[in-house]
């Protein structure tokens, strides 16, 4: 339990300590994309990978066919098996348009090296399966756009659109939220990410429901002013259920049929920690929503 949240700011020394300890483990792993799902700043503290036993949806259960049916997996094209190739999630909002997190567009050349922008030719999108070891169709990507205000050393405006080379048929597409739902209402989050800090990722798509929390509650967990209008927080005070590394870019949905894309998995300090919440890109923010819509055709 982290009991150092005196004035709301996470002590820098503590973050550094966590960074150092996770860096040591990260260097031992050879997965090409070990760092690629890790966005800047605070999120680095939670770096985990599949091979070392990383973190997935925490406290979840297997997703059914109707739980975020538009969920896709982002893959490294050069890696043959889907389980090892998957590094982020995404949502189809049209037959050939995927919404994901901007930080999913980047990976690190070396542990401390510069972040490199992915090229469309280096990635693919997995559709048509909920199991990374079975079935599905790998589709090429023809374009990647990210929000013009996204900065690789920040967490804000964490949204991107990927254009597919082929059209996905036969599934319902996500709708873009215009409202968030009230504080306390539940978001359905799905992903193939880690099942806990220090645990492995799931070949089976997992789901978890987490309640929306207020910006004030969330800033108390992070730092004053750190939670922008482009962010939405969700989670339980006692922790235990959350998204985690590898879930990034994936959907947080609401409304009765959970077809409304309300959040995009973005970052968090660790996963499922008490009084620390998952942070999602807020789709209802006009700047986020307009960016996505601009790339819908
Ligand atoms: N940044 C992570 C990823 O790249 C997602 C982290 C979400 N963390 C959380 N505690 N909700 O997969």
């Amino acid at each position: 339990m982290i009991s150092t949240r005196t004035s709301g700011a996470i002590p820098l020394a503590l973050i550094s300590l966590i960074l150092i300890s996770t860096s040591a483990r990260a260097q031992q792993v050879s997965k090409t994309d070990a760092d690629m799902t890790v966005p800047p700043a605070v999120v680095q503290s939670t770096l985990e990978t599949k091979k070392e036993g990383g973190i997935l949806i925490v406290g979840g259960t297997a997703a059914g066919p109707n739980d975020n049916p538009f969920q896709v997996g982002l893959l490294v094209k050069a890696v043959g098996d889907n389980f090892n190739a998957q590094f982020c999630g995404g949502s189809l909002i049209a037959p050939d348009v995927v919404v994901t997190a901007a930080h999913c567009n980047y990976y690190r050349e070396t542990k401390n090296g510069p972040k490199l922008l992915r090229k469309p030719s280096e990635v693919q999108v997995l559709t048509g399966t909920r199991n990374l070891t079975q079935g599905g169709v790998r589709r090429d990507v023809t374009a990647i756009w990210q929000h013009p205000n996204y900065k690789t050393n920040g967490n804000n405006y964490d949204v991107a659109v990927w254009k597919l080379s082929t059209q996905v048929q036969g599934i319902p597409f996500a709708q873009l939220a215009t409202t968030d739902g009230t504080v306390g209402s539940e978001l359905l989050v799905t992903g193939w990410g880690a099942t806990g800090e220090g645990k492995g990722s799931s070949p089976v798509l997992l789901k978890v429901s987490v309640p929306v929390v207020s910006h004030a509650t969330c800033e108390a967990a992070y730092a004053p002013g750190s939670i922008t209008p482009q962010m939405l927080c969700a989670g339980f005070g006692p922790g235990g259920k959350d998204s985690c590394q590898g879930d990034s870019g994936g959907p947080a949905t609401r409304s009765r049929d959970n077809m409304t894309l309300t959040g995009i998995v973005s970052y968090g300090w660790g996963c499922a920690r008490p009084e620390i919440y998952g942070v999602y890109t807020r789709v209802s923010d006009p700047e986020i929503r307009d960016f996505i819509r601009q790339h819908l055709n």
Side-chain angles (χ1 to χ4, degrees):
M1 166 62 200
I2 309 299
S3 54
T4 43
R5 304 178 304 106
T6 41
S7 66
I10 297 168
L12 278 177
L14 180 57
I15 294 180
S16 313
L17 277 177
I18 298 168
L19 281 172
I20 290 162
S21 62
T22 53
S23 300
R25 278 179 291 147
Q27 274 162 348
Q28 295 160 9
V29 299
S30 56
K31 189 184 177 207
T32 39
D33 279 347
D35 291 13
M36 66 175 49
T37 66
V38 181
V42 90
V43 183
Q44 280 183 293
S45 67
T46 61
L47 172 65
E48 297 288 353
T49 71
K50 291 180 180 184
K51 282 191 179 157
E52 70 182 337
I55 322 169
L56 329 178
I57 288 270
V58 185
T61 55
N66 299 323
D67 296 319
N68 298 344
F70 39 76
Q71 165 101 43
V72 298
L74 308 191
L75 307 179
V76 178
K77 188 168 179 172
V79 177
D81 73 286
N82 295 339
F83 181 74
N84 284 304
Q86 186 268 339
F87 60 88
C88 267
S91 300
L92 280 159
I93 56 164
D96 55 359
V97 181
V98 171
V99 173
T100 185
H103 80 260
C104 292
N105 293 345
Y106 293 86
Y107 64 100
R108 284 161 195 267
E109 190 176 31
T110 64
K111 179 64 202 77
N112 297 308
K115 286 197 151 197
L116 300 182
L117 184 61
R118 288 174 191 290
K119 298 187 188 75
S121 60
E122 296 167 345
V123 292
Q124 283 178 317
V125 167
L126 182 69
T127 65
T129 186
R130 320 228 104 194
N131 190 329
L132 296 177
T133 64
Q134 207 175 297
V137 178
R138 280 181 169 228
R139 296 177 193 264
D140 285 329
V141 175
T142 57
I144 293 178
W145 299 282
Q146 66 186 27
H147 198 288
N149 294 345
Y150 174 74
K151 298 197 171 50
T152 54
N153 61 350
N155 293 321
N156 209 10
Y157 296 97
D158 194 6
V159 60
V161 171
W162 288 23
K163 182 90 170 172
L164 303 184
S165 62
T166 50
Q167 307 221 331
V168 180
Q169 313 287 353
I171 62 148
F173 303 112
Q175 312 289 311
L176 299 178
T178 51
T179 59
D180 303 328
T182 52
V183 168
S185 63
E186 300 227 313
L187 298 180
L188 178 69
V189 185
T190 45
W192 289 282
T195 56
E197 288 185 43
K199 295 190 182 163
S201 60
S202 173
V204 171
L205 189 71
L206 297 179
K207 65 169 174 178
V208 72
S209 286
V210 281
V212 172
V213 300
S214 71
H215 271 53
T217 301
C218 199
E219 289 204 332
Y222 290 95
S226 61
I227 305 299
T228 69
Q230 289 75 39
M231 300 176 189
L232 181 66
C233 301
F236 291 96
K241 293 184 177 190
D242 196 5
S243 45
C244 207
Q245 267 45 56
D247 293 324
S248 277
T253 56
R254 48 166 263 278
S255 88
R256 205 185 321 180
D257 55 0
N258 283 109
M259 292 299 291
T260 307
L261 184 67
T262 307
I264 301 165
V265 179
S266 180
Y267 71 95
W269 185 18
C271 300
R273 295 183 183 191
E275 292 173 68
I276 305 292
Y277 303 92
V279 189
Y280 298 80
T281 310
R282 185 168 165 252
V283 173
S284 71
D285 178 75
E287 290 187 82
I288 299 295
R289 209 178 126 81
D290 289 352
F291 162 78
I292 297 171
R293 284 157 58 97
Q294 268 168 30
H295 297 287
L296 249 176
N297 299 316

